[in-house]
Amino acid sequence: MKREVMDKREVKREVKRVQGAYFMGVLLSRLLSPSPCSLLCSLFFMGVLFSQSSPSWAGTVGKRAPGTVLESLQGGALVALDEMRGQVVLVDFWASWCPPCRTSLPLFNELRAELHHMGFEVLAINVDENKRDALGFFRRLSVQYPSGFDPKGRMAELWGVQAMPTSFLVDREGLVRWVHKGFKEKDMPLIKGEILKLLNESVNE
């Protein structure tokens, strides 16, 4: 039986592991640096590592989406949510180690192809530590929409991701209007319905 969602503990453990590896790397580089402030810098990064807490935003419906600018997984220009203002955007957090993502990504790709002309876009955000794993997974599924690369888990933490995958539906004004945790194929009519509501709402108002 396929798993439909990775629970909060699994996701936070994976994100914290990636963040921990990053900060420890910075810590070691500071300790080995000849700079006079290396010790103070190291202590600062240790404080960041051991005092992190959940952000206050945490994916709240009705609030403006966090500023999101990331390296593109596919290469080239940066991926920025603000550049998609005026469209209805599904911000989808995914990973190559997430079983339900194998189903969700191709279906979101089909949905984008169907609704793109109405002003719908998908912005994927990958949280793999290894870019090669993420890019290989993405290409095998022949996904055409843009994906940012978030190997340190900063955006996942900022958006308050507690399950994998998690999708946030952002309206044309940049407000988060709906959140969907986990994925199974039978969720698609519900997801499409929520997207159409926002597309039609924007047209009719």
Side-chain angles (χ1 to χ4, degrees):
M1 183 177 181
K2 292 183 178 179
R3 297 186 62 189
E4 296 165 354
V5 62
M6 294 183 70
D7 65 29
K8 177 179 177 180
R9 287 175 299 177
E10 290 178 296
V11 173
K12 292 192 78 172
R13 184 165 57 244
E14 185 66 22
V15 169
K16 291 296 184 184
R17 181 185 68 79
V18 173
Q19 289 178 325
Y22 168 72
F23 281 112
M24 287 306 295
V26 174
L27 174 60
L28 288 173
S29 68
R30 294 289 183 179
L31 287 171
L32 295 174
S33 170
S35 169
C37 72
S38 60
L39 180 57
L40 291 176
C41 293
S42 299
L43 291 173
F44 168 75
F45 281 108
M46 287 181 71
V48 172
L49 175 60
F50 292 110
S51 65
Q52 291 184 52
S53 58
S54 297
S56 58
W57 189 86
T60 306
V61 172
K63 288 191 175 182
R64 188 161 300 281
T68 303
V69 180
L70 289 165
E71 172 190 353
S72 171
L73 178 65
Q74 298 100 318
L78 296 174
V79 174
L81 179 59
D82 280 350
E83 292 183 359
M84 300 176 182
R85 184 69 58 85
Q87 301 181 82
V88 173
V89 183
L90 186 72
V91 179
D92 180 52
F93 284 84
W94 68 280
S96 65
W97 40 261
C98 162
C101 298
R102 297 188 184 98
T103 304
S104 63
L105 268 64
L107 290 175
F108 288 158
N109 194 55
E110 292 176 7
L111 188 61
R112 176 183 180 266
E114 178 184 349
L115 301 178
H116 191 60
H117 71 284
M118 297 176 64
F120 173 64
E121 184 58 279
V122 179
L123 172 58
I125 299 179
N126 173 264
V127 298
D128 278 83
E129 184 176 1
N130 188 309
K131 189 173 185 179
R132 183 178 296 179
D133 291 343
L135 190 56
F137 184 89
F138 209 62
R139 285 175 172 169
R140 283 195 299 274
L141 296 177
S142 301
V143 177
Q144 301 301 312
Y145 52 77
S147 180
F149 183 50
D150 184 30
K152 301 175 185 67
R154 289 175 172 174
M155 283 299 159
E157 188 79 7
L158 180 61
W159 281 77
V161 174
Q162 299 180 341
M164 189 64 66
T166 294
S167 300
F168 300 85
L169 195 55
V170 179
D171 68 15
R172 295 183 193 267
E173 301 302 317
L175 300 178
V176 176
R177 299 288 295 276
W178 189 68
V179 181
H180 184 73
K181 298 177 182 179
F183 184 85
K184 45 189 180 294
E185 191 168 351
K186 67 180 182 180
D187 293 338
M188 284 303 294
L190 172 64
I191 296 170
K192 182 178 179 179
E194 293 296 329
I195 293 168
L196 287 172
K197 281 182 189 178
L198 294 188
L199 290 172
N200 292 328
E201 174 185 281
S202 302
V203 169
N204 295 332
E205 291 186 351

